[in-house]
Amino acid sequence: MKQLKISFLKWLLISLICIYFGFMVGKFKQDILQHKVQSLALDVESLTLENTQLTERLNLIQADYNSEKQVHSVLEKENLTLNNALDASNNKLYFYEQVVAPELSKAGLNIYSFDVTAGEEQGTWLFEVVLMQGQKGRHELNGKVEITFASADGDQKISLKDLNTNFDSAFKFKYFQHLKGSFTLPEQATVEQIFVVAEAKASKWSRSQRIEKVYDWKNFIEDGATSLEELATQSE
């Protein structure tokens, strides 16, 4: 009986020692895990702060970029506007130089320009013909303008009179004159060139005059050109 009691005490002591060591090992592992958790928490806090700083820096850089891009865009538009204004001013200057100094331009009746721009309605076009007289001792010229839309081979021809019956093709001027109007081409029409012909009647001061210019309508439409290109004619 006494031997059994001693064995029981030994077993109990060993069990308590094992439980104690198990507790200490568990506590040690728990301390390690807590330390790792704390380290991770610090890392997360540090990364969060770094991410916030980087985000703020990126926002500043993006704001600077957008600001510079906007300024650049404004400058580009302003530059384009100024260039367009300069071109328009130079064109006007060139035109009036020829008006006041006819020796600078071609003698006699001249088609100074023929411009076409898109109208507000789909398929509608606005045009303007500028006629001038480049000669000394100028007298009044009377005549008419004929505008014809044609295919390259000339098989198909459409007169402006058939498209716009209200257009007044007559001119009467001493220095220059603007003729304006609009037209809408038929959908099935195959137009590649525009012929502009100005004819002045003979008078006691001058003989009859005729001048013809041809413009590239196909390139103007297909390639999105901003202005009609004048084509060479056989008489040139």
Side-chain angles (χ1 to χ4, degrees):
M1 186 69 179
K2 186 177 180 180
Q3 185 69 31
L4 182 60
K5 187 176 181 181
I6 293 172
S7 298
F8 174 75
L9 291 174
K10 287 182 179 180
W11 177 84
L12 181 61
L13 180 61
I14 292 172
S15 298
L16 291 173
I17 292 173
C18 290
I19 291 172
Y20 175 76
F21 277 108
F23 172 77
M24 293 302 294
V25 171
K27 188 175 184 306
F28 177 73
K29 289 184 177 180
Q30 185 179 9
D31 291 341
I32 293 175
L33 289 175
Q34 285 181 345
H35 180 71
K36 287 184 177 181
V37 169
Q38 290 175 353
S39 297
L40 289 174
L42 292 174
D43 290 342
V44 169
E45 185 178 352
S46 176
L47 289 173
T48 301
L49 178 61
E50 183 179 358
N51 181 266
T52 301
Q53 293 174 344
L54 290 174
T55 301
E56 292 177 353
R57 184 179 177 185
L58 178 61
N59 290 336
L60 289 174
I61 293 175
Q62 187 67 39
D64 290 341
Y65 171 77
N66 290 336
S67 178
E68 291 181 1
K69 185 178 180 181
Q70 186 175 6
V71 171
H72 181 69
S73 177
V74 171
L75 290 176
E76 275 190 337
K77 290 181 180 179
E78 185 176 352
N79 184 53
L80 179 61
T81 301
L82 291 175
N83 282 330
N84 290 338
L86 180 60
D87 289 342
S89 178
N90 287 335
N91 288 336
K92 287 183 179 179
L93 178 61
Y94 177 71
F95 175 74
Y96 287 114
E97 279 180 345
Q98 294 184 82
V99 172
V100 299
E103 66 275 7
L104 298 177
S105 62
K106 182 179 179 181
L109 176 65
N110 183 29
I111 300 174
Y112 176 76
S113 65
F114 176 64
D115 297 313
V116 176
T117 57
E120 294 182 358
E121 297 182 7
Q122 181 69 26
T124 300
W125 300 92
L126 308 177
F127 70 89
E128 179 180 14
V129 182
V130 180
L131 304 175
M132 69 180 303
Q133 183 180 185
Q135 59 190 26
K136 294 182 179 181
R138 284 172 286 200
H139 297 279
E140 196 171 74
L141 292 178
N142 292 275
K144 63 180 181 178
V145 173
E146 294 288 344
I147 300 177
T148 306
F149 305 88
S151 56
D153 53 16
D155 289 343
Q156 185 179 28
K157 292 184 178 181
I158 305 173
S159 174
L160 178 63
K161 293 180 180 180
D162 299 329
L163 304 178
N164 186 346
T165 57
N166 296 323
F167 174 62
D168 185 6
S169 62
F171 63 80
K172 184 178 182 180
F173 68 92
K174 186 175 182 180
Y175 295 98
F176 64 91
Q177 184 173 342
H178 296 254
L179 299 176
K180 299 180 180 180
S182 63
F183 63 88
T184 302
L185 292 171
E187 294 182 0
Q188 69 277 11
T190 304
V191 177
E192 298 181 55
Q193 298 175 347
I194 301 180
F195 290 80
V196 181
V197 178
E199 292 182 308
K201 299 177 182 178
S203 67
K204 63 180 181 180
W205 297 287
S206 62
R207 58 183 176 79
S208 62
Q209 301 177 62
R210 182 183 187 276
I211 185 169
E212 175 184 291
K213 289 192 175 183
V214 185
Y215 297 89
D216 189 351
W217 177 257
K218 182 179 180 181
N219 179 68
F220 179 74
I221 294 296
E222 293 181 355
D223 296 343
T226 56
S227 60
L228 286 167
E229 178 185 358
E230 183 180 345
L231 300 175
T233 59
Q234 294 180 353
S235 59
E236 293 181 341

